[in-house]
Amino acid sequence: MKPGDSLMRHYLQFKDFRAEEYAYLFERASIIKRRFKNYERYQPLADRTLAMIFEKASTRTRVSFEAGMYQMGGSVVHLTTGDSQLGRAEPIEDSARVISRMVDLVMIRTFEQTKIERFAAHSRVPVINGLTNEYHPCQILADLFTFIEQRGMDRRGVIDLDCLKGRVVAWVGDGNNMANTWLQAAEILGFTVHVSTPSGYEIDPAVAGIKNASCYKVFKDPLEACRGADLVTTDVWTSMGYEAENEARRTAFADWCVDAEMMAVAKPDALFMHCLPAHRGEEVSAEVIDGPQSAVWDEAENRMHVQKALMEYLLLGRIG
Ligand code: CP
Ligand code: NVA
């Protein structure tokens, strides 16, 4: 990608890509994963550099992007608010102008979505959202790939994106960045999200950024949201940045714990997912997250494979 290239794309929200681009990305992720498992060297990003900017904590996002970039032959620069001028009020626009003159790709984890949008508007290189208060597109990319791998691949290992059509995903918990991103994915890929949140923590369709209200259905009772679902998923009661609300949230969310009873009313082959980190006994029981329907470890591993496909796509376009 050259500076000013009109083909340059950012990945700031799930809806930045079309369904057919997701079909392509999942195909590539599958090929890239197979090569990794076979210890085949694949280094199309030699001499490319990824800058990772973290204004919030991370385990999976950091390891998956960093290991993925090294495996593809590139290198990584890791910045945090505490050890860069970002924490000393250098304008985000100036940081974007400078950092994007030295690297080929930037991944940012920050607070408001407007911050990453301002960075992207002044960046010469593609910018990836590694989580904001509003969205977590890389996580949903991994979650959908995991679902397709386990429920939508034919015997030859061919990805079938249509396997998502008409499916029901139950979202139990906070109307947060993960919930918003699930809604965007549902609208683009043709499934429905059954959303159950405590009152006061509902999703806001305007923030979620969806046009079509038919991609989700609201349930007061989390058990009813799970009934007949193909996938049951949840997240922490208190997201990063909202720690001051911790005590109030503990009380409000007490009935929004995904347990065996909720899994029992979902489809018999329903999967359980959680982006992690998880709190057993709060948003999910140990029995569910450590049980046979849980796909959480595959989900976490797949962050790396899908993000390798994403970085390849943003830097090299379609292969072949
Ligand atoms: N799921 C996820 O993004 O994990 P980290 O916060 O550890 O990066
Ligand atoms: N909703 C959580 C996701 C963590 C990966 C948060 O924003 O903290």
Side-chain angles (χ1 to χ4, degrees):
M1 200 67 57
K2 294 180 199 73
D5 194 330
S6 61
L7 295 175
M8 187 178 85
R9 304 276 299 277
H10 300 297
Y11 192 55
L12 306 182
Q13 302 189 33
F14 195 88
K15 67 178 181 183
D16 287 346
F17 287 173
R18 301 179 303 276
E20 54 99 10
E21 291 180 289
Y22 283 110
Y24 171 77
L25 280 177
F26 293 139
E27 286 290 350
R28 288 302 301 164
S30 177
I31 292 166
I32 287 168
K33 180 172 181 176
R34 198 159 51 239
R35 285 183 172 164
F36 173 77
K37 297 288 180 187
N38 289 336
Y39 296 97
E40 277 175 46
R41 181 177 289 217
Y42 179 58
Q43 304 200 317
L45 301 185
D47 302 325
R48 307 288 182 120
T49 306
L50 165 72
M52 303 194 297
I53 301 172
F54 284 97
E55 298 207 288
K56 292 176 177 172
S58 169
T59 297
R60 279 145 289 271
T61 303
R62 175 164 182 192
V63 176
S64 56
F65 270 105
E66 189 159 339
M69 192 58 179
Y70 284 131
Q71 288 160 20
M72 292 205 293
S75 51
V76 173
V77 177
H78 177 251
L79 292 166
T80 66
T81 317
D83 64 15
S84 69
Q85 302 290 5
L86 285 161
R88 298 181 62 251
E90 179 165 15
I92 196 104
E93 292 80 2
D94 293 357
S95 304
R97 289 181 179 108
V98 172
I99 293 167
S100 71
R101 281 182 179 232
M102 301 179 199
V103 303
D104 302 280
L105 188 60
V106 180
M107 189 286 302
I108 306 180
R109 168 167 286 195
T110 188
F111 293 88
E112 298 80 17
Q113 180 73 8
T114 49
K115 268 182 119 171
I116 197 169
E117 282 168 3
R118 281 164 57 207
F119 191 104
H122 295 84
S123 173
R124 289 183 169 199
V125 301
V127 176
I128 298 172
N129 183 343
L131 182 146
T132 56
N133 289 350
E134 290 88 347
Y135 311 114
H136 197 2
C138 292
Q139 183 66 52
I140 301 301
L141 200 57
D143 295 1
L144 290 169
F145 181 66
T146 307
F147 186 86
I148 294 167
E149 265 191 327
Q150 301 193 14
R151 295 288 178 267
M153 252 192 204
D154 71 11
R155 279 195 207 93
R156 291 163 299 140
V158 174
I159 296 274
D160 178 14
L161 197 64
D162 281 346
C163 81
L164 294 170
K165 288 221 159 62
R167 298 278 191 167
V168 171
V169 173
W171 176 264
V172 176
D174 194 13
N176 65 9
N177 44 10
M178 285 290 298
N180 290 338
T181 313
W182 271 114
L183 294 192
Q184 289 196 0
E187 185 165 58
I188 295 166
L189 300 175
F191 58 91
T192 307
V193 186
H194 284 186
V195 181
S196 180
T197 66
S199 84
Y201 299 93
E202 293 87 354
I203 49 142
D204 177 345
V207 176
I210 49 162
K211 291 193 204 106
N212 185 354
S214 68
C215 67
Y216 76 102
K217 232 173 133 178
V218 173
F219 293 79
K220 266 198 161 53
D221 181 351
L223 191 72
E224 290 313 310
C226 295
R227 199 172 293 284
D230 297 282
L231 167 64
V232 177
T233 184
T234 186
D235 188 9
V236 290
W237 290 343
T238 305
S239 286
M240 292 180 280
Y242 298 83
E243 289 80 2
E245 300 173 13
N246 211 4
E247 279 318 304
R249 283 172 174 265
R250 271 176 192 279
T251 309
F253 282 79
D255 293 333
W256 276 261
C257 171
V258 177
D259 57 14
E261 195 190 350
M262 290 189 198
M263 292 306 295
V265 300
K267 289 221 175 98
D269 71 342
L271 294 173
F272 170 76
M273 290 194 191
H274 189 311
C275 61
L276 305 177
H279 301 91
R280 289 168 176 77
E282 292 188 12
E283 74 274 8
V284 60
S285 69
E287 186 181 17
V288 169
I289 195 169
D290 299 319
Q293 288 167 280
S294 175
V296 298
W297 314 123
D298 294 323
E299 222 187 316
E301 177 190 326
N302 281 335
R303 287 290 302 277
M304 185 174 81
H305 306 304
V306 295
Q307 288 161 195
K308 285 167 80 176
L310 174 65
M311 292 193 285
E312 180 194 69
Y313 184 55
L314 291 174
L315 289 177
L316 305 178
R318 290 193 190 225
I319 304 290

